[in-house]
PDB file of all heavy atoms in Angstrom:
ATOM      1  N   ARG A   5      97.922 100.820  72.826  1.00 97.00           N
ATOM      2  CA  ARG A   5      99.352 101.128  72.915  1.00 97.00           C
ATOM      3  C   ARG A   5      99.858 101.477  71.524  1.00 97.00           C
ATOM      4  O   ARG A   5      99.196 101.208  70.519  1.00 97.00           O
ATOM      5  CB  ARG A   5     100.120  99.941  73.464  1.00 97.00           C
ATOM      6  CG  ARG A   5     100.081  98.746  72.539  1.00 97.00           C
ATOM      7  CD  ARG A   5     100.886  97.599  73.078  1.00 97.00           C
ATOM      8  NE  ARG A   5     100.667  96.435  72.215  1.00 97.00           N
ATOM      9  CZ  ARG A   5     100.532  95.213  72.655  1.00 97.00           C
ATOM     10  NH1 ARG A   5     100.598  94.954  73.933  1.00 97.00           N
ATOM     11  NH2 ARG A   5     100.337  94.228  71.809  1.00 97.00           N
ATOM     12  N   ARG A   6     101.059 102.042  71.495  1.00 97.00           N
ATOM     13  CA  ARG A   6     101.735 102.295  70.231  1.00 97.00           C
ATOM     14  C   ARG A   6     102.666 101.125  69.951  1.00 97.00           C
ATOM     15  O   ARG A   6     103.319 100.600  70.837  1.00 97.00           O
ATOM     16  CB  ARG A   6     102.588 103.571  70.320  1.00 97.00           C
ATOM     17  CG  ARG A   6     101.862 104.841  70.604  1.00 97.00           C
ATOM     18  CD  ARG A   6     101.596 105.719  69.410  1.00 97.00           C
ATOM     19  NE  ARG A   6     102.536 105.699  68.338  1.00 97.00           N
ATOM     20  CZ  ARG A   6     103.527 106.589  68.168  1.00 97.00           C
ATOM     21  NH1 ARG A   6     103.700 107.574  69.025  1.00 97.00           N
ATOM     22  NH2 ARG A   6     104.319 106.491  67.133  1.00 97.00           N
ATOM     23  N   VAL A   7     102.738 100.734  68.696  1.00 95.00           N
ATOM     24  CA  VAL A   7     103.632  99.641  68.298  1.00 95.00           C
ATOM     25  C   VAL A   7     105.071  99.978  68.681  1.00 95.00           C
ATOM     26  O   VAL A   7     105.820  99.127  69.142  1.00 95.00           O
ATOM     27  CB  VAL A   7     103.510  99.362  66.781  1.00 95.00           C
ATOM     28  CG1 VAL A   7     104.571  98.383  66.316  1.00 95.00           C
ATOM     29  CG2 VAL A   7     102.119  98.861  66.445  1.00 95.00           C
ATOM     30  N   GLY A   8     105.448 101.241  68.551  1.00 86.00           N
ATOM     31  CA  GLY A   8     106.822 101.663  68.824  1.00 86.00           C
ATOM     32  C   GLY A   8     107.203 101.784  70.281  1.00 86.00           C
ATOM     33  O   GLY A   8     108.370 101.997  70.600  1.00 86.00           O
ATOM     34  N   TRP A   9     106.248 101.675  71.202  1.00 89.00           N
ATOM     35  CA  TRP A   9     106.596 101.754  72.623  1.00 89.00           C
ATOM     36  C   TRP A   9     107.388 100.516  72.979  1.00 89.00           C
ATOM     37  O   TRP A   9     106.967  99.391  72.747  1.00 89.00           O
ATOM     38  CB  TRP A   9     105.356 101.843  73.487  1.00 89.00           C
ATOM     39  CG  TRP A   9     104.691 103.191  73.460  1.00 89.00           C
ATOM     40  CD1 TRP A   9     105.146 104.326  72.871  1.00 89.00           C
ATOM     41  CD2 TRP A   9     103.447 103.535  74.056  1.00 89.00           C
ATOM     42  NE1 TRP A   9     104.267 105.359  73.057  1.00 89.00           N
ATOM     43  CE2 TRP A   9     103.208 104.900  73.791  1.00 89.00           C
ATOM     44  CE3 TRP A   9     102.504 102.824  74.790  1.00 89.00           C
ATOM     45  CZ2 TRP A   9     102.075 105.564  74.242  1.00 89.00           C
ATOM     46  CZ3 TRP A   9     101.373 103.484  75.226  1.00 89.00           C
ATOM     47  CH2 TRP A   9     101.171 104.843  74.962  1.00 89.00           C
ATOM     48  N   ASN A  10     108.568 100.719  73.549  1.00 81.00           N
ATOM     49  CA  ASN A  10     109.449  99.577  73.804  1.00 81.00           C
ATOM     50  C   ASN A  10     109.426  99.085  75.245  1.00 81.00           C
ATOM     51  O   ASN A  10     110.155  98.182  75.595  1.00 81.00           O
ATOM     52  CB  ASN A  10     110.887  99.889  73.369  1.00 81.00           C
ATOM     53  CG  ASN A  10     111.393 101.187  73.957  1.00 81.00           C
ATOM     54  OD1 ASN A  10     110.722 101.812  74.760  1.00 81.00           O
ATOM     55  ND2 ASN A  10     112.573 101.601  73.547  1.00 81.00           N
ATOM     56  N   GLY A  11     108.601  99.660  76.092  1.00 83.00           N
ATOM     57  CA  GLY A  11     108.476  99.147  77.456  1.00 83.00           C
ATOM     58  C   GLY A  11     107.506  97.977  77.482  1.00 83.00           C
ATOM     59  O   GLY A  11     106.393  98.072  76.982  1.00 83.00           O
ATOM     60  N   LYS A  12     107.932  96.867  78.046  1.00 85.00           N
ATOM     61  CA  LYS A  12     107.107  95.660  78.049  1.00 85.00           C
ATOM     62  C   LYS A  12     105.797  95.905  78.791  1.00 85.00           C
ATOM     63  O   LYS A  12     105.779  96.323  79.936  1.00 85.00           O
ATOM     64  CB  LYS A  12     107.866  94.515  78.702  1.00 85.00           C
ATOM     65  CG  LYS A  12     107.106  93.210  78.640  1.00 85.00           C
ATOM     66  CD  LYS A  12     107.913  92.049  79.146  1.00 85.00           C
ATOM     67  CE  LYS A  12     107.109  90.779  78.947  1.00 85.00           C
ATOM     68  NZ  LYS A  12     107.858  89.610  79.343  1.00 85.00           N
ATOM     69  N   GLY A  13     104.698  95.668  78.100  1.00 92.00           N
ATOM     70  CA  GLY A  13     103.380  95.761  78.706  1.00 92.00           C
ATOM     71  C   GLY A  13     102.793  97.157  78.792  1.00 92.00           C
ATOM     72  O   GLY A  13     101.672  97.322  79.272  1.00 92.00           O
ATOM     73  N   MET A  14     103.527  98.178  78.344  1.00 96.00           N
ATOM     74  CA  MET A  14     103.013  99.543  78.426  1.00 96.00           C
ATOM     75  C   MET A  14     101.741  99.693  77.598  1.00 96.00           C
ATOM     76  O   MET A  14     101.657  99.199  76.485  1.00 96.00           O
ATOM     77  CB  MET A  14     104.058 100.546  77.938  1.00 96.00           C
ATOM     78  CG  MET A  14     105.225 100.721  78.865  1.00 96.00           C
ATOM     79  SD  MET A  14     106.474 101.847  78.196  1.00 96.00           S
ATOM     80  CE  MET A  14     105.543 103.364  78.061  1.00 96.00           C
ATOM     81  N   HIS A  15     100.760 100.373  78.177  1.00 97.00           N
ATOM     82  CA  HIS A  15      99.522 100.665  77.466  1.00 97.00           C
ATOM     83  C   HIS A  15      98.797 101.780  78.206  1.00 97.00           C
ATOM     84  O   HIS A  15      99.165 102.138  79.322  1.00 97.00           O
ATOM     85  CB  HIS A  15      98.631  99.421  77.352  1.00 97.00           C
ATOM     86  CG  HIS A  15      98.209  98.853  78.671  1.00 97.00           C
ATOM     87  ND1 HIS A  15      98.966  97.916  79.338  1.00 97.00           N
ATOM     88  CD2 HIS A  15      97.127  99.094  79.453  1.00 97.00           C
ATOM     89  CE1 HIS A  15      98.362  97.597  80.465  1.00 97.00           C
ATOM     90  NE2 HIS A  15      97.235  98.304  80.558  1.00 97.00           N
ATOM     91  N   ILE A  16      97.766 102.335  77.567  1.00 98.00           N
ATOM     92  CA  ILE A  16      96.935 103.323  78.244  1.00 98.00           C
ATOM     93  C   ILE A  16      95.507 102.808  78.306  1.00 98.00           C
ATOM     94  O   ILE A  16      95.090 101.963  77.505  1.00 98.00           O
ATOM     95  CB  ILE A  16      96.997 104.716  77.577  1.00 98.00           C
ATOM     96  CG1 ILE A  16      96.533 104.675  76.131  1.00 98.00           C
ATOM     97  CG2 ILE A  16      98.376 105.313  77.704  1.00 98.00           C
ATOM     98  CD1 ILE A  16      96.402 106.044  75.487  1.00 98.00           C
ATOM     99  N   TYR A  17      94.785 103.303  79.290  1.00 98.00           N
ATOM    100  CA  TYR A  17      93.387 102.929  79.460  1.00 98.00           C
ATOM    101  C   TYR A  17      92.645 104.088  80.102  1.00 98.00           C
ATOM    102  O   TYR A  17      93.255 104.975  80.707  1.00 98.00           O
ATOM    103  CB  TYR A  17      93.249 101.652  80.296  1.00 98.00           C
ATOM    104  CG  TYR A  17      93.811 101.751  81.698  1.00 98.00           C
ATOM    105  CD1 TYR A  17      92.993 102.085  82.770  1.00 98.00           C
ATOM    106  CD2 TYR A  17      95.159 101.526  81.951  1.00 98.00           C
ATOM    107  CE1 TYR A  17      93.496 102.180  84.057  1.00 98.00           C
ATOM    108  CE2 TYR A  17      95.678 101.618  83.225  1.00 98.00           C
ATOM    109  CZ  TYR A  17      94.838 101.945  84.276  1.00 98.00           C
ATOM    110  OH  TYR A  17      95.345 102.048  85.548  1.00 98.00           O
ATOM    111  N   LEU A  18      91.340 104.096  79.950  1.00 98.00           N
ATOM    112  CA  LEU A  18      90.489 105.127  80.525  1.00 98.00           C
ATOM    113  C   LEU A  18      89.945 104.619  81.850  1.00 98.00           C
ATOM    114  O   LEU A  18      89.295 103.569  81.902  1.00 98.00           O
ATOM    115  CB  LEU A  18      89.344 105.450  79.561  1.00 98.00           C
ATOM    116  CG  LEU A  18      88.337 106.496  80.012  1.00 98.00           C
ATOM    117  CD1 LEU A  18      89.017 107.846  80.241  1.00 98.00           C
ATOM    118  CD2 LEU A  18      87.228 106.637  78.973  1.00 98.00           C
ATOM    119  N   GLU A  19      90.224 105.341  82.904  1.00 95.00           N
ATOM    120  CA  GLU A  19      89.748 104.987  84.247  1.00 95.00           C
ATOM    121  C   GLU A  19      88.535 105.858  84.566  1.00 95.00           C
ATOM    122  O   GLU A  19      88.585 107.076  84.405  1.00 95.00           O
ATOM    123  CB  GLU A  19      90.861 105.235  85.267  1.00 95.00           C
ATOM    124  CG  GLU A  19      90.513 104.868  86.695  1.00 95.00           C
ATOM    125  CD  GLU A  19      90.424 103.371  86.916  1.00 95.00           C
ATOM    126  OE1 GLU A  19      91.295 102.635  86.436  1.00 95.00           O
ATOM    127  OE2 GLU A  19      89.462 102.947  87.572  1.00 95.00           O
ATOM    128  N   ASP A  20      87.459 105.236  85.003  1.00 91.00           N
ATOM    129  CA  ASP A  20      86.281 105.994  85.409  1.00 91.00           C
ATOM    130  C   ASP A  20      86.605 106.864  86.613  1.00 91.00           C
ATOM    131  O   ASP A  20      87.503 106.564  87.395  1.00 91.00           O
ATOM    132  CB  ASP A  20      85.132 105.048  85.791  1.00 91.00           C
ATOM    133  CG  ASP A  20      84.543 104.334  84.596  1.00 91.00           C
ATOM    134  OD1 ASP A  20      84.635 104.877  83.477  1.00 91.00           O
ATOM    135  OD2 ASP A  20      83.986 103.240  84.782  1.00 91.00           O
ATOM    136  N   GLY A  21      85.848 107.917  86.778  1.00 87.00           N
ATOM    137  CA  GLY A  21      86.002 108.738  87.966  1.00 87.00           C
ATOM    138  C   GLY A  21      85.592 107.953  89.199  1.00 87.00           C
ATOM    139  O   GLY A  21      84.885 106.954  89.123  1.00 87.00           O
ATOM    140  N   TYR A  22      86.021 108.389  90.361  1.00 87.00           N
ATOM    141  CA  TYR A  22      85.671 107.722  91.612  1.00 87.00           C
ATOM    142  C   TYR A  22      85.744 108.737  92.743  1.00 87.00           C
ATOM    143  O   TYR A  22      86.211 109.862  92.568  1.00 87.00           O
ATOM    144  CB  TYR A  22      86.588 106.527  91.877  1.00 87.00           C
ATOM    145  CG  TYR A  22      88.053 106.882  92.017  1.00 87.00           C
ATOM    146  CD1 TYR A  22      88.599 107.150  93.268  1.00 87.00           C
ATOM    147  CD2 TYR A  22      88.879 106.946  90.912  1.00 87.00           C
ATOM    148  CE1 TYR A  22      89.938 107.483  93.396  1.00 87.00           C
ATOM    149  CE2 TYR A  22      90.215 107.272  91.024  1.00 87.00           C
ATOM    150  CZ  TYR A  22      90.735 107.539  92.274  1.00 87.00           C
ATOM    151  OH  TYR A  22      92.052 107.873  92.400  1.00 87.00           O
ATOM    152  N   SER A  23      85.303 108.336  93.913  1.00 92.00           N
ATOM    153  CA  SER A  23      85.405 109.212  95.075  1.00 92.00           C
ATOM    154  C   SER A  23      86.031 108.428  96.224  1.00 92.00           C
ATOM    155  O   SER A  23      85.879 107.209  96.314  1.00 92.00           O
ATOM    156  CB  SER A  23      84.029 109.749  95.470  1.00 92.00           C
ATOM    157  OG  SER A  23      83.187 108.713  95.897  1.00 92.00           O
ATOM    158  N   HIS A  24      86.741 109.148  97.074  1.00 91.00           N
ATOM    159  CA  HIS A  24      87.349 108.539  98.245  1.00 91.00           C
ATOM    160  C   HIS A  24      87.568 109.620  99.306  1.00 91.00           C
ATOM    161  O   HIS A  24      87.514 110.810  99.011  1.00 91.00           O
ATOM    162  CB  HIS A  24      88.660 107.832  97.892  1.00 91.00           C
ATOM    163  CG  HIS A  24      89.734 108.759  97.424  1.00 91.00           C
ATOM    164  ND1 HIS A  24      89.782 109.253  96.140  1.00 91.00           N
ATOM    165  CD2 HIS A  24      90.790 109.295  98.067  1.00 91.00           C
ATOM    166  CE1 HIS A  24      90.827 110.053  96.012  1.00 91.00           C
ATOM    167  NE2 HIS A  24      91.453 110.101  97.165  1.00 91.00           N
ATOM    168  N   THR A  25      87.833 109.195 100.521  1.00 96.00           N
ATOM    169  CA  THR A  25      88.088 110.114 101.619  1.00 96.00           C
ATOM    170  C   THR A  25      89.591 110.278 101.781  1.00 96.00           C
ATOM    171  O   THR A  25      90.332 109.290 101.817  1.00 96.00           O
ATOM    172  CB  THR A  25      87.465 109.585 102.928  1.00 96.00           C
ATOM    173  OG1 THR A  25      86.064 109.414 102.701  1.00 96.00           O
ATOM    174  CG2 THR A  25      87.684 110.546 104.075  1.00 96.00           C
ATOM    175  N   ILE A  26      90.038 111.532 101.885  1.00 95.00           N
ATOM    176  CA  ILE A  26      91.457 111.837 102.065  1.00 95.00           C
ATOM    177  C   ILE A  26      91.892 111.358 103.449  1.00 95.00           C
ATOM    178  O   ILE A  26      91.235 111.651 104.450  1.00 95.00           O
ATOM    179  CB  ILE A  26      91.716 113.356 101.915  1.00 95.00           C
ATOM    180  CG1 ILE A  26      91.168 113.880 100.593  1.00 95.00           C
ATOM    181  CG2 ILE A  26      93.195 113.675 102.088  1.00 95.00           C
ATOM    182  CD1 ILE A  26      91.770 113.257  99.374  1.00 95.00           C
ATOM    183  N   LYS A  27      92.994 110.603 103.509  1.00 95.00           N
ATOM    184  CA  LYS A  27      93.435 109.990 104.764  1.00 95.00           C
ATOM    185  C   LYS A  27      94.442 110.822 105.548  1.00 95.00           C
ATOM    186  O   LYS A  27      94.629 110.594 106.734  1.00 95.00           O
ATOM    187  CB  LYS A  27      94.014 108.604 104.474  1.00 95.00           C
ATOM    188  CG  LYS A  27      92.974 107.642 103.950  1.00 95.00           C
ATOM    189  CD  LYS A  27      93.551 106.267 103.723  1.00 95.00           C
ATOM    190  CE  LYS A  27      92.465 105.348 103.187  1.00 95.00           C
ATOM    191  NZ  LYS A  27      92.962 104.015 102.919  1.00 95.00           N
ATOM    192  N   ALA A  28      95.127 111.758 104.888  1.00 96.00           N
ATOM    193  CA  ALA A  28      96.151 112.535 105.596  1.00 96.00           C
ATOM    194  C   ALA A  28      96.329 113.888 104.925  1.00 96.00           C
ATOM    195  O   ALA A  28      95.856 114.112 103.812  1.00 96.00           O
ATOM    196  CB  ALA A  28      97.476 111.768 105.593  1.00 96.00           C
ATOM    197  N   GLY A  29      97.012 114.774 105.610  1.00 95.00           N
ATOM    198  CA  GLY A  29      97.328 116.074 105.035  1.00 95.00           C
ATOM    199  C   GLY A  29      96.281 117.135 105.331  1.00 95.00           C
ATOM    200  O   GLY A  29      95.371 116.950 106.144  1.00 95.00           O
ATOM    201  N   VAL A  30      96.389 118.246 104.653  1.00 96.00           N
ATOM    202  CA  VAL A  30      95.535 119.407 104.876  1.00 96.00           C
ATOM    203  C   VAL A  30      94.058 119.082 104.688  1.00 96.00           C
ATOM    204  O   VAL A  30      93.199 119.603 105.408  1.00 96.00           O
ATOM    205  CB  VAL A  30      95.956 120.563 103.938  1.00 96.00           C
ATOM    206  CG1 VAL A  30      95.025 121.751 104.078  1.00 96.00           C
ATOM    207  CG2 VAL A  30      97.393 120.972 104.205  1.00 96.00           C
ATOM    208  N   PHE A  31      93.739 118.227 103.747  1.00 95.00           N
ATOM    209  CA  PHE A  31      92.345 117.910 103.432  1.00 95.00           C
ATOM    210  C   PHE A  31      91.871 116.612 104.080  1.00 95.00           C
ATOM    211  O   PHE A  31      90.872 116.033 103.660  1.00 95.00           O
ATOM    212  CB  PHE A  31      92.146 117.855 101.919  1.00 95.00           C
ATOM    213  CG  PHE A  31      92.428 119.164 101.245  1.00 95.00           C
ATOM    214  CD1 PHE A  31      93.617 119.364 100.554  1.00 95.00           C
ATOM    215  CD2 PHE A  31      91.523 120.204 101.326  1.00 95.00           C
ATOM    216  CE1 PHE A  31      93.884 120.570  99.934  1.00 95.00           C
ATOM    217  CE2 PHE A  31      91.780 121.425 100.721  1.00 95.00           C
ATOM    218  CZ  PHE A  31      92.967 121.610 100.022  1.00 95.00           C
ATOM    219  N   LYS A  32      92.558 116.169 105.121  1.00 97.00           N
ATOM    220  CA  LYS A  32      92.214 114.913 105.806  1.00 97.00           C
ATOM    221  C   LYS A  32      90.735 114.901 106.178  1.00 97.00           C
ATOM    222  O   LYS A  32      90.200 115.868 106.719  1.00 97.00           O
ATOM    223  CB  LYS A  32      93.061 114.742 107.059  1.00 97.00           C
ATOM    224  CG  LYS A  32      92.806 113.443 107.789  1.00 97.00           C
ATOM    225  CD  LYS A  32      93.703 113.297 108.997  1.00 97.00           C
ATOM    226  CE  LYS A  32      93.418 111.977 109.697  1.00 97.00           C
ATOM    227  NZ  LYS A  32      94.310 111.790 110.844  1.00 97.00           N
ATOM    228  N   GLY A  33      90.075 113.775 105.848  1.00 96.00           N
ATOM    229  CA  GLY A  33      88.672 113.595 106.182  1.00 96.00           C
ATOM    230  C   GLY A  33      87.706 114.110 105.132  1.00 96.00           C
ATOM    231  O   GLY A  33      86.512 113.801 105.184  1.00 96.00           O
ATOM    232  N   GLU A  34      88.187 114.899 104.192  1.00 96.00           N
ATOM    233  CA  GLU A  34      87.310 115.416 103.142  1.00 96.00           C
ATOM    234  C   GLU A  34      87.156 114.392 102.027  1.00 96.00           C
ATOM    235  O   GLU A  34      88.025 113.570 101.790  1.00 96.00           O
ATOM    236  CB  GLU A  34      87.853 116.728 102.580  1.00 96.00           C
ATOM    237  CG  GLU A  34      87.792 117.865 103.582  1.00 96.00           C
ATOM    238  CD  GLU A  34      88.184 119.195 102.989  1.00 96.00           C
ATOM    239  OE1 GLU A  34      88.153 119.337 101.744  1.00 96.00           O
ATOM    240  OE2 GLU A  34      88.542 120.090 103.771  1.00 96.00           O
TER     241      GLU A  34
END
């Protein structure tokens, strides 16, 4: 995080890629 960020608990992190099945919409089931 940046010291100057004034939102309590704000931070960034790197999320690994993942896969999931689309549940609704045009791409449902893909």
Side-chain angles (χ1 to χ4, degrees):
R5 65 178 173 220
R6 299 260 329 263
V7 172
W9 285 353
N10 52 5
K12 184 174 184 177
M14 289 177 62
H15 61 271
I16 60 172
Y17 61 94
L18 179 61
E19 182 71 44
D20 289 334
Y22 61 92
S23 65
H24 65 280
T25 302
I26 306 299
K27 295 182 180 179
V30 176
F31 298 103
K32 182 178 180 178
E34 292 186 19

